Structure formats: C-alpha cells, structure tokens
Amino acid sequence: MNIRAYTQNDLASIFDIYRRSKLDELKFEEKVFTLLPLEEDKERLRGLMESQIYVYQEQGQILGFGANCGHEIRALFVAPKHRGKGVGKALFEFLLSNIHGQPCLYVASTNQPAKYLYHEYGFSVTETFETTYNQVSVIAQKMVRMASV
C-alpha cells in the first residue's frame, strides 16, 4: 500500500492538492464560491493539524491525502488528475480501518457523488445543518456509518 503518515515536508503538496480540489465538493451548489487556501483558513487548518494525516504516494509524488480525528473523517482529497484510479477509495478504506467505533464525516448536502460513495460504505445522513465556507452559507450533512460493511 502507498499510504503513510504525513511528515512536515508533505505540507506543500497537501496545500496544493487542497487548492486544486476543495471547490470541487461545492460545484453542485447554486452559489459561487471563492477558494480560501488551506494555509489561510485558520479553522480548517487547525482541524486538519489536530488530526492523524495520511498521504497516498506513488513514485515520490503525493496524489492525495486524508485525515481522521477520533471517529471523524476530517479530510479526503485526491489531486484531480489522479481521480478515478482508486486513490480516494484506498485512502477512505485506510481511514476507516484506523477508526475504532462508529465513524462519521461531514459533506455538502449537494455533493451527491461523495454521498453515494459513503452510502456504499454504510454511511447514512443523521443531521442536516447550515454552515459556511469562506463566509458563504452551505447546507451540510453529518453522515454516520451505521453498520460495518
């Protein structure tokens, strides 16, 4: 497996993947969003840094990263040109294997492709609420894995 714990040297790659991927999870919204780079987003950066972060690496290149904190999956990002090749699925399964208890995650309510994937792994929506991204409101959902799959 090409997944390992991140090191400080990986931060530039993590920031780059986030920059190229973050707005994709909001592309189904009717509103227009402006990227707030991770290194400038104090709240999301703090949440990531207090998590266990893992990177997916092939031939010295980081293709994606994921993070969990306790039972919560806090991040799952794959560089756009490496999507559809199993990187995200491998990271997701790795994160799930490291969570003892009932995993949860948060997703934009309009991000149906991600929600479909999470449903395949036994996750169900348990809560819907309003939050913000870069000062623009977003309806988000908490999803909890109800059963082992």
Side-chain angles (χ1 to χ4, degrees), residues 72-106:
E72 180 185 344
I73 295 174
R74 289 199 171 164
L76 182 62
F77 291 92
V78 176
K81 71 179 186 178
H82 297 287
R83 292 184 188 150
K85 300 176 183 178
V87 174
K89 185 176 180 179
L91 274 167
F92 189 61
E93 289 176 357
F94 181 85
L95 292 170
L96 287 173
S97 74
N98 286 309
I99 294 175
H100 303 288
Q102 192 172 49
C104 70
L105 54 81
Y106 295 87

Coordinates of all heavy atoms in Angstrom, one line a residue, residues 72-106:
E72 N -14.0 10.8 13.6 CA -14.4 11.7 12.5 C -13.4 11.7 11.3 O -12.2 11.9 11.6 CB -14.6 13.1 12.9 CG -15.0 14.1 11.9 CD -15.0 15.5 12.3 OE1 -15.1 15.8 13.6 OE2 -15.0 16.4 11.5
I73 N -13.9 11.4 10.1 CA -13.0 11.6 8.9 C -13.1 13.1 8.6 O -14.2 13.6 8.3 CB -13.5 10.7 7.8 CG1 -13.3 9.2 8.2 CG2 -12.7 11.1 6.5 CD1 -13.8 8.3 7.2
R74 N -12.0 13.8 8.7 CA -11.9 15.2 8.5 C -11.5 15.7 7.1 O -11.7 16.8 6.8 CB -11.0 15.9 9.6 CG -11.6 15.8 10.9 CD -11.0 16.8 11.8 NE -11.7 16.9 13.1 CZ -11.2 17.4 14.2 NH1 -10.0 18.0 14.1 NH2 -12.0 17.5 15.3
A75 N -10.8 14.8 6.4 CA -10.3 15.2 5.1 C -10.2 14.0 4.2 O -9.8 12.9 4.7 CB -9.0 16.0 5.2
L76 N -10.5 14.2 2.9 CA -10.2 13.2 1.9 C -10.2 13.9 0.6 O -11.2 14.4 0.0 CB -11.3 12.1 1.9 CG -11.2 11.0 0.9 CD1 -9.9 10.2 1.1 CD2 -12.4 10.1 0.9
F77 N -8.9 14.1 0.1 CA -8.7 14.9 -1.1 C -7.8 14.1 -2.0 O -6.8 13.6 -1.6 CB -8.1 16.3 -0.8 CG -9.0 17.2 -0.1 CD1 -9.1 17.3 1.3 CD2 -9.9 18.0 -0.8 CE1 -10.0 18.1 1.9 CE2 -10.8 18.9 -0.2 CZ -10.8 18.9 1.2
V78 N -8.1 14.1 -3.3 CA -7.3 13.5 -4.4 C -7.0 14.5 -5.4 O -7.9 15.2 -5.9 CB -7.9 12.3 -5.0 CG1 -7.1 11.7 -6.1 CG2 -8.2 11.2 -3.9
A79 N -5.7 14.6 -5.9 CA -5.4 15.5 -7.0 C -6.3 15.2 -8.2 O -6.5 14.0 -8.5 CB -3.9 15.4 -7.3
P80 N -6.8 16.2 -8.8 CA -7.8 16.0 -9.9 C -7.3 15.0 -11.0 O -8.1 14.2 -11.4 CB -8.0 17.4 -10.5 CG -7.8 18.3 -9.3 CD -6.7 17.7 -8.5
K81 N -6.1 15.1 -11.4 CA -5.6 14.2 -12.5 C -5.4 12.7 -12.0 O -5.2 11.9 -12.9 CB -4.4 14.7 -13.2 CG -3.1 14.7 -12.4 CD -2.0 15.2 -13.2 CE -0.7 15.0 -12.5 NZ 0.5 15.5 -13.3
H82 N -5.6 12.5 -10.8 CA -5.4 11.1 -10.2 C -6.7 10.5 -9.7 O -6.7 9.4 -9.2 CB -4.3 11.1 -9.2 CG -3.0 11.5 -9.7 ND1 -2.3 10.6 -10.5 CD2 -2.3 12.6 -9.5 CE1 -1.1 11.3 -10.8 NE2 -1.1 12.4 -10.2
R83 N -7.8 11.2 -10.0 CA -9.1 10.7 -9.6 C -9.6 9.5 -10.5 O -9.2 9.5 -11.6 CB -10.2 11.8 -9.6 CG -9.9 12.8 -8.5 CD -11.0 13.9 -8.5 NE -10.5 14.9 -7.6 CZ -10.9 16.2 -7.7 NH1 -11.7 16.6 -8.6 NH2 -10.4 17.1 -6.8
G84 N -10.4 8.7 -9.9 CA -10.9 7.5 -10.7 C -9.9 6.4 -10.9 O -10.1 5.5 -11.7
K85 N -8.8 6.5 -10.1 CA -7.8 5.4 -10.2 C -7.6 4.7 -8.9 O -6.7 3.9 -8.7 CB -6.4 6.1 -10.5 CG -6.5 6.8 -11.9 CD -5.2 7.5 -12.1 CE -5.3 8.3 -13.4 NZ -4.0 9.0 -13.7
G86 N -8.6 4.8 -8.0 CA -8.6 4.1 -6.7 C -7.9 4.7 -5.6 O -7.8 4.2 -4.5
V87 N -7.3 5.9 -5.8 CA -6.6 6.6 -4.7 C -7.5 7.0 -3.6 O -7.2 6.7 -2.4 CB -5.8 7.9 -5.3 CG1 -5.2 8.7 -4.1 CG2 -4.8 7.5 -6.3
G88 N -8.6 7.7 -3.9 CA -9.6 8.1 -2.9 C -10.2 6.9 -2.1 O -10.3 6.9 -0.9
K89 N -10.5 5.9 -2.9 CA -11.1 4.7 -2.2 C -10.1 4.0 -1.3 O -10.4 3.7 -0.2 CB -11.5 3.7 -3.3 CG -12.2 2.5 -2.8 CD -12.7 1.6 -3.9 CE -13.5 0.4 -3.3 NZ -14.0 -0.5 -4.4
A90 N -8.8 4.0 -1.7 CA -7.8 3.4 -0.8 C -7.6 4.2 0.4 O -7.5 3.7 1.5 CB -6.5 3.2 -1.6
L91 N -7.6 5.5 0.3 CA -7.4 6.4 1.4 C -8.6 6.3 2.4 O -8.5 6.2 3.6 CB -7.3 7.9 1.0 CG -5.9 8.3 0.6 CD1 -5.9 9.7 -0.1 CD2 -5.0 8.5 1.9
F92 N -9.8 6.2 1.8 CA -11.0 6.2 2.6 C -11.1 4.8 3.4 O -11.3 4.8 4.6 CB -12.3 6.3 1.7 CG -13.6 6.4 2.4 CD1 -13.8 7.5 3.2 CD2 -14.6 5.5 2.2 CE1 -15.0 7.6 3.9 CE2 -15.8 5.6 2.9 CZ -16.0 6.7 3.7
E93 N -10.7 3.7 2.7 CA -10.7 2.4 3.4 C -9.6 2.4 4.5 O -9.8 1.8 5.5 CB -10.5 1.3 2.4 CG -11.8 1.1 1.5 CD -11.6 0.1 0.4 OE1 -10.5 -0.5 0.3 OE2 -12.6 -0.2 -0.3
F94 N -8.5 3.0 4.2 CA -7.4 3.1 5.2 C -7.9 3.9 6.4 O -7.7 3.5 7.6 CB -6.2 3.8 4.6 CG -5.0 3.8 5.5 CD1 -4.2 2.8 5.7 CD2 -4.8 5.0 6.3 CE1 -3.1 2.8 6.6 CE2 -3.7 5.1 7.2 CZ -2.9 4.0 7.3
L95 N -8.5 5.0 6.2 CA -9.0 5.9 7.3 C -10.0 5.1 8.1 O -10.0 5.1 9.4 CB -9.6 7.2 6.8 CG -8.7 8.2 6.2 CD1 -9.4 9.3 5.5 CD2 -7.7 8.7 7.2
L96 N -11.0 4.4 7.4 CA -12.0 3.6 8.1 C -11.3 2.5 9.0 O -11.8 2.2 10.1 CB -13.0 3.0 7.2 CG -14.0 3.9 6.5 CD1 -14.8 3.2 5.4 CD2 -14.9 4.5 7.6
S97 N -10.3 1.9 8.5 CA -9.6 0.8 9.2 C -8.9 1.3 10.5 O -8.6 0.5 11.4 CB -8.6 0.1 8.3 OG -7.4 0.9 8.1
N98 N -8.7 2.6 10.6 CA -8.0 3.2 11.7 C -9.0 3.8 12.7 O -8.5 4.3 13.7 CB -7.0 4.2 11.3 CG -5.8 3.6 10.7 OD1 -5.2 2.7 11.3 ND2 -5.4 4.1 9.5
I99 N -10.2 3.7 12.5 CA -11.2 4.2 13.4 C -11.9 3.1 14.1 O -12.4 2.1 13.5 CB -12.3 5.0 12.6 CG1 -11.7 6.3 12.0 CG2 -13.5 5.4 13.5 CD1 -12.6 7.1 11.1
H100 N -11.8 3.2 15.4 CA -12.5 2.2 16.3 C -13.7 2.8 16.8 O -13.7 3.9 17.4 CB -11.5 1.8 17.4 CG -10.2 1.2 16.9 ND1 -10.1 0.0 16.3 CD2 -9.0 1.8 16.9 CE1 -8.9 -0.2 15.9 NE2 -8.2 0.9 16.3
G101 N -14.9 2.2 16.5 CA -16.1 2.7 16.9 C -16.9 3.1 15.7 O -16.6 2.6 14.6
Q102 N -17.8 4.1 15.8 CA -18.7 4.5 14.7 C -18.2 5.7 14.0 O -18.2 6.8 14.5 CB -20.1 4.8 15.3 CG -21.2 4.9 14.3 CD -22.5 5.0 15.0 OE1 -22.7 5.7 15.9 NE2 -23.5 4.2 14.5
P103 N -17.7 5.6 12.8 CA -17.1 6.7 12.0 C -18.2 7.7 11.6 O -19.3 7.3 11.3 CB -16.4 6.0 10.8 CG -16.5 4.6 11.0 CD -17.5 4.3 12.1
C104 N -17.8 8.9 11.5 CA -18.7 10.0 11.0 C -17.8 10.9 10.1 O -16.6 10.9 10.1 CB -19.4 10.7 12.1 SG -18.3 11.8 13.1
L105 N -18.6 11.7 9.3 CA -17.9 12.7 8.4 C -19.0 13.7 8.1 O -20.2 13.5 8.3 CB -17.4 12.0 7.1 CG -18.3 11.1 6.3 CD1 -19.2 11.9 5.4 CD2 -17.5 10.1 5.5
Y106 N -18.5 14.8 7.5 CA -19.4 15.9 7.1 C -19.2 16.1 5.6 O -18.1 16.0 5.1 CB -19.1 17.1 7.9 CG -19.4 17.0 9.3 CD1 -18.4 16.5 10.2 CD2 -20.6 17.3 9.9 CE1 -18.7 16.3 11.5 CE2 -20.9 17.1 11.2 CZ -19.9 16.6 12.0 OH -20.2 16.4 13.4

